Amino acid sequence: MGKYAELAKDIVKNVGGKENVVGLVHCITRLRFTLKDESKANDDVLKAMSGVVTVMKSGGQYQVVIGNHVAEVYDDVCALLDLKEDGSAPAEVKKGKLLDRAIDVVSGIFQPILGIMAACGMLKGFNTLFATLGLYATSDGIYMIINAAGDALFNFLPLFLGYTAAKKFKLKPMLGLAIGAALCYPAIQSSALSASGEALYTLFEGTIFASPVYIDFLGLPVIAVDYTGTVIPVILSVWFASKCEKFFNRIVPELIKFFFVPMLTLLVTLPIILLLLGPVATFGSTLISEFTLTIRNFSPLVAGAVVGLTWQILVIFGMHWGFIPVYINNVMTLGYDNVMMPFFACTFATSAVVLAIFFKTKDKKLKEMAIPNFISGIFGVTEPAIYGILLPLKKPFVISCIAGGIGGAFYGHFNFRKFILGAMDQLTPEGTVSDDYRIDYLKTHIQAMIQAIDQDGVDIMGYTAWGCIDLVSATTGEMSKRYGFIYVDQDNDGCGTKKRIRKKSFYWYRDVIAHHGENL
């Protein structure tokens, strides 16, 4: 027992004793009990107890708010309970409402990674800010290293969720990690398969579900999907694997169970997710994006409201990826996107609600959580705020969705657009323009072109950038959106010296041409 042994004894006593405890986990500040009978708990005694901030009931859990030292108290409480390693007891708990159970599952899977998720989001945000302010370039080592730290969790999210989902669904955690790692395996990603060669054929050709097939499994088509950064496929995989593991534990002899059960579980789970569950989740995303496009053709205001209202819900289930193909197509054909744009309203609404919670709440620990989540949110990473604050509190989550819907309707009605081709290049006091982002963008294109020539034998006759000199945008009539290697001193109103200034990318592109691309 540790230094919180007495506090732990009092807590266990006043939640109804160890016989009343079915499960226990903890998040950043709370002990989250699952009790057989919540009426046996002494709410008032616990709230008045020294070392306890307050008591809350949410999502089918009895939550005792402790503070930042909750992990130490958790260890001392667990020592008094008959719980297994994963924090659960063999007894059955009465099922609650469907919504409560859904929130409990989502919270239980995401709570263990909230801290690192907020940290990664802040790293990404500050790194982008400092690069934009010119403190360092995107090609510098400091940017790349910080970006690697910030992107790590989001790029390999299935790996982390595989572990936490395994604990939630009572699968061996290492199996969950293995499933998450398999879904991140580079060779099976759609982007890698499409770059390696032509598709064998296309399933559902001519429909919104058209899917290229590059590999098969025993003759069955494997639909290509990019799984890195996704949520639903790994959660479904681990849930399915937990059922498989229980089944194989019953039929496999004890002598070979140690290695045969995990082997069979992986052997069955991965083909099922790649052949069925993963593509189904992707088709769900496609349906949502197509539904939004249909509504936009009828009313941009209504479409903007739908995107803003539902965006956080889509993020929770990883369904927001269905908008990416629409977004890319719009940018490449129109030079801008106005379908996905209203999600920014939801992002700002989420951040605003978190800030409001910071000012309104008297819970010191909730205030501490709100600050990093707000900072992360204003840089576009809202997952920590959604999973850590809004979703468990329920009402703020609903408020942020409604506010996002109102803002999204405003965005849609006034046709707010997001531009990606072209950028707002700035002339420094020294008379130079540093556009490292353009260099990175073009480098990626040229490397892909070289790969197409060398590996696929594509007959490419030439390559040119979007424009050699800044010019008036054909889609917006603006001059501030810069395209070329040469900066033109002119604003949207036609004012300026019209002086031409070579950007950093001009010298880089000239060197690429001189060396026939061999210096990339």
Side-chain angles (χ1 to χ4, degrees):
M1 296 291 285
K3 61 180 179 179
Y4 296 104
E6 290 302 316
L7 175 62
K9 291 178 182 177
D10 291 337
I11 290 174
V12 171
K13 177 182 177 181
N14 287 284
V15 295
K18 67 178 184 179
E19 298 81 9
N20 195 40
V21 179
V22 174
L24 173 64
V25 294
H26 75 86
C27 57
I28 299 174
T29 60
R30 307 178 187 190
L31 294 172
R32 295 174 175 264
F33 289 92
T34 303
L35 303 179
K36 293 179 185 177
D37 185 357
E38 288 188 0
S39 65
K40 292 183 179 180
N42 300 314
D43 298 357
D44 294 334
V45 175
L46 285 166
K47 290 179 181 179
M49 196 178 296
S50 176
V52 174
V53 178
T54 188
V55 170
M56 299 181 67
K57 301 174 184 179
S58 178
Q61 294 179 331
Y62 190 87
Q63 304 172 10
V64 181
V65 183
I66 301 295
N68 290 336
H69 56 288
V70 66
E72 297 174 75
V73 178
Y74 171 82
D75 290 337
D76 285 344
V77 171
C78 282
L80 302 172
L81 303 175
D82 298 324
L83 299 179
K84 295 185 289 186
E85 185 180 354
D86 62 1
S88 65
E92 291 292 327
V93 62
K94 184 180 178 181
K95 292 184 177 180
K97 297 178 181 178
L98 179 62
L99 178 61
D100 286 341
R101 281 185 282 152
I103 291 176
D104 175 60
V105 169
V106 173
S107 299
I109 291 172
F110 279 92
Q111 278 166 358
I113 64 171
L114 288 178
I116 189 65
M117 185 179 282
C120 289
M122 291 175 67
L123 280 175
K124 285 170 63 68
F126 281 124
N127 200 33
T128 300
L129 176 64
F130 295 153
T132 303
L133 292 174
L135 298 182
Y136 45 77
T138 55
S139 58
D140 289 350
I142 182 172
Y143 178 88
M144 295 179 184
I145 291 172
I146 295 176
N147 210 44
D151 276 341
L153 181 141
F154 297 102
N155 284 354
F156 299 100
L157 191 57
L159 201 63
F160 293 84
L161 296 182
Y163 178 80
T164 57
K167 299 197 78 172
K168 186 65 182 176
F169 295 126
K170 297 178 176 53
L171 176 73
K172 286 184 173 59
M174 291 303 108
L175 260 178
L177 272 175
I179 291 170
L183 289 178
C184 291
Y185 190 65
I188 66 170
Q189 307 305 314
S190 175
S191 54
L193 291 170
S194 60
S196 63
E198 293 185 4
L200 301 175
Y201 51 89
T202 301
L203 286 178
F204 314 119
E205 193 167 6
T207 72
I208 61 173
F209 302 119
S211 305
V213 174
Y214 297 92
I215 58 175
D216 60 44
F217 180 81
L218 299 177
L220 298 174
V222 177
I223 294 176
V225 177
D226 277 320
Y227 289 101
T228 54
T230 59
V231 173
I232 292 296
V234 68
I235 293 177
L236 288 176
S237 297
V238 172
W239 171 81
F240 181 73
S242 68
K243 304 300 181 183
C244 292
E245 186 188 43
K246 290 178 182 177
F247 173 75
F248 291 129
N249 267 324
R250 289 199 301 268
I251 65 172
V252 173
E254 288 291 338
L255 185 64
I256 56 174
K257 185 178 290 187
F258 177 73
F259 58 89
F260 239 81
V261 169
M263 182 191 75
L264 292 173
T265 301
L266 287 173
L267 192 59
V268 172
T269 299
L270 288 174
I272 292 296
I273 193 67
L274 295 177
L275 291 169
L276 179 63
L277 299 181
V280 166
T282 302
F283 292 158
S285 300
T286 302
L287 278 175
I288 291 170
S289 63
E290 288 296 322
F291 173 70
T292 305
L293 282 173
T294 302
I295 294 177
R296 184 170 182 83
N297 292 333
F298 167 73
S299 169
L301 184 148
V302 175
V306 169
V307 172
L309 178 70
T310 62
W311 190 258
Q312 287 189 117
I313 301 171
L314 297 177
V315 169
I316 290 173
F317 295 105
M319 305 293 280
H320 60 303
W321 295 106
F323 283 88
I324 300 302
V326 177
Y327 167 73
I328 293 174
N329 179 70
N330 286 345
V331 168
M332 295 305 293
T333 57
L334 303 175
Y336 63 85
D337 172 71
N338 54 9
V339 175
M340 189 173 157
M341 178 68 191
F343 94 86
F344 279 102
C346 186
T347 299
F348 294 136
T350 299
S351 302
V353 170
V354 171
L355 187 63
I357 290 173
F358 171 78
F359 286 115
K360 293 287 289 184
T361 187
K362 295 180 181 179
D363 186 336
K364 293 181 180 180
K365 307 309 174 186
L366 193 55
K367 281 182 178 288
E368 292 176 4
M369 291 173 61
I371 290 298
N373 288 342
F374 170 73
I375 294 173
S376 177
I378 61 176
F379 287 117
V381 183
T382 57
E383 286 90 342
I386 294 172
Y387 298 121
I389 297 179
L390 302 185
L391 193 59
L393 295 178
K394 295 182 183 177
K395 187 179 290 185
F397 179 77
V398 174
I399 292 172
S400 65
C401 287
I402 294 172
I406 295 171
F410 180 83
Y411 279 35
H413 179 69
F414 289 99
N415 196 27
F416 279 29
R417 293 168 289 181
K418 180 182 179 182
F419 299 92
I420 188 68
L421 295 177
M424 309 302 177
D425 291 336
Q426 298 294 323
L427 189 64
T428 67
E430 293 77 23
T432 61
V433 177
S434 180
D435 56 344
D436 295 284
Y437 70 91
R438 181 176 281 109
I439 294 173
D440 293 340
Y441 185 78
L442 292 172
K443 183 186 295 184
T444 303
H445 271 235
I446 297 172
Q447 287 172 337
M449 180 181 67
I450 294 172
Q451 186 180 44
I453 296 171
D454 294 342
Q455 296 184 13
D456 300 327
V458 176
D459 184 17
I460 297 179
M461 298 178 65
Y463 176 86
T464 182
W466 184 265
C468 296
I469 190 170
D470 290 348
L471 42 77
V472 175
S473 171
T475 56
T476 66
E478 297 176 348
M479 188 68 191
S480 59
K481 193 170 73 162
R482 305 287 174 169
Y483 292 96
F485 299 116
I486 299 174
Y487 181 89
V488 179
D489 184 21
Q490 179 176 311
D491 61 22
N492 289 338
D493 298 321
C495 301
T497 65
K498 309 294 191 296
K499 182 180 179 181
R500 271 66 165 166
I501 299 167
R502 295 170 180 175
K503 302 177 187 179
K504 185 176 179 180
S505 60
F506 173 91
Y507 299 101
W508 172 84
Y509 199 58
R510 183 178 64 179
D511 190 55
V512 170
I513 294 172
H515 293 86
H516 303 288
E518 294 177 357
N519 59 342
L520 289 174

